[in-house]
Amino acid sequence: MRICFNKPEDKKDYVLTYRCGGQLYIDPSLCHELSLLVQPYDADVRLAESEFGSCRLEELAVVSLERYLYWWSIARHVTYDRPPEQSVMRYPNVVLGVLGALSLVKGAMENREKPSILLELPFLSDDVASMLAGLEVDVVVAGAPSVFFDEAVPAKRPSYIRSMMLLGLGGSYASKTGLPDVGDTIRFEEYVSPCSDMGDIKHEPRRLGSPLEVLFRGEELEHAKGILGDVFNSGAVPFKSFSLGDRELARVFQKLLLYGFLEGRETVSLTRKGVWALLNG
């Protein structure tokens, strides 16, 4: 990882930023990376990996008990098939921006390619820096970054000077490489975002189907809709009224309880998540 304190002069194959761009590409198999980045919400990632073998954001939504609306809302801004033709991608949060960079690096290694990747971050934290360490990624930061990086490109920016001070390289070293000329006023370089010369890039969110269609298929989907519909119409249904002798039906019922669409013991009722799933079906 090479850290830059202002926009690099060379053109990049891929630019990931929070300011502009199309849908973000992520590799849904990178569950272990995502789990480290989203602590303490890695339980959602582990549940999705166990249920689906991957961690698409809509899969995280259907297994999450608390953050299902959040995962579902940002899933609209992500694609999984392949890096989009539009090389500039906008990420909805820093975690997914980092995961997008890791996805591009993984794909490049598998295809024996070496694309140039630029990741713009509002700041660089220690945990994010450790995830990107040693990878062929350029990171440009607007604010004061972590000091964990492999190479630093000097710039007359406060963030650069602060990083040098944290490394114990302030004073004369910073004066030679990063401090502006001192006169009546101190003038730093203006920060230039990679989006400054990108023009108007359309960002069109993905259309998502029903949450139940993510978790169920075929007859199981019909069973799930039927169970939620019955409970919704009745308000609360005695647990014993469900005929669970059918293995398929029992499996559907178990998942609806396990992932928070239904709740209760003697009687079963719909949760807010269950109402959300039913009305979005």
Side-chain angles (χ1 to χ4, degrees):
M1 176 186 66
R2 183 177 72 157
I3 190 168
C4 309
F5 296 87
N6 220 334
K7 178 187 172 185
E9 295 182 0
D10 55 323
K11 184 176 175 59
K12 302 297 182 181
D13 295 319
Y14 294 104
V15 176
L16 298 90
T17 173
Y18 54 96
R19 299 174 187 266
C20 66
Q23 289 180 10
L24 174 72
Y25 163 73
I26 63 172
D27 185 335
S29 70
L30 293 178
C31 295
H32 57 291
E33 307 277 8
L34 182 57
S35 179
L36 292 171
L37 287 166
V38 298
Q39 293 180 351
Y41 304 109
D42 61 318
D44 293 346
V45 180
R46 296 305 182 191
L47 279 172
E49 186 177 23
S50 175
E51 178 68 40
F52 303 103
S54 60
C55 48
R56 291 173 171 82
L57 300 187
E58 51 267 45
E59 293 170 347
L60 268 63
V62 297
V63 301
S64 176
L65 300 181
E66 298 178 355
R67 291 167 61 87
Y68 57 93
L69 291 177
Y70 172 73
W71 292 125
W72 191 262
S73 65
I74 62 175
R76 301 172 63 244
H77 305 285
V78 171
T79 183
Y80 311 103
D81 294 335
R82 62 180 185 278
E85 295 181 2
Q86 173 55 259
S87 61
V88 183
M89 292 173 268
R90 191 182 83 190
Y91 57 80
N93 62 34
V94 169
V95 164
L96 292 182
V98 175
L99 192 66
L102 293 171
S103 299
L104 292 172
V105 170
K106 178 176 180 284
M109 293 174 64
E110 290 174 349
N111 298 323
R112 298 185 179 181
E113 299 173 347
K114 287 190 175 181
S116 54
I117 302 167
L118 177 66
L119 172 63
E120 182 185 22
L121 295 174
F123 58 89
L124 180 62
S125 61
D126 290 352
D127 54 345
V128 167
S130 65
M131 299 293 286
L132 296 172
L135 301 181
E136 292 292 329
V137 178
D138 285 3
V139 177
V140 58
V141 289
S146 163
V147 297
F148 297 101
F149 44 78
D150 301 307
E151 181 181 348
V153 180
K156 293 181 179 181
R157 296 281 302 147
S159 53
Y160 173 75
I161 298 165
R162 175 63 176 161
S163 291
M164 293 303 102
M165 292 174 64
L166 290 173
L167 286 170
L169 295 173
S172 60
Y173 182 86
S175 298
K176 292 177 182 177
T177 57
L179 283 174
D181 296 331
V182 179
D184 294 334
T185 60
I186 297 176
R187 186 175 299 277
F188 293 99
E189 289 180 8
E190 179 184 356
Y191 178 74
V192 181
S193 167
C195 288
S196 59
D197 58 357
M198 295 295 182
D200 185 23
I201 302 174
K202 280 191 174 183
H203 181 88
E204 297 180 357
R206 226 169 17 107
R207 291 180 62 87
L208 299 179
S210 162
L212 295 176
E213 291 174 351
V214 177
L215 188 58
F216 302 106
R217 297 285 189 275
E219 288 189 10
E220 286 193 349
L221 176 61
E222 297 306 314
H223 285 320
K225 289 180 178 179
I227 292 172
L228 294 183
D230 289 344
V231 177
F232 179 80
N233 292 328
S234 303
V237 178
F239 188 92
K240 294 180 179 180
S241 67
F242 291 97
S243 176
L244 301 180
D246 184 321
R247 277 189 166 185
E248 188 175 85
L249 185 62
R251 186 165 55 249
V252 171
F253 191 81
Q254 181 185 39
K255 286 185 179 181
L256 291 174
L257 283 171
L258 177 64
Y259 296 132
F261 298 93
L262 296 173
E263 64 181 0
R265 294 187 177 180
E266 293 184 1
T267 60
V268 179
S269 59
L270 226 57
T271 62
R272 291 177 62 184
K273 184 178 179 181
V275 173
W276 165 73
L278 186 62
L279 297 182
N280 282 277

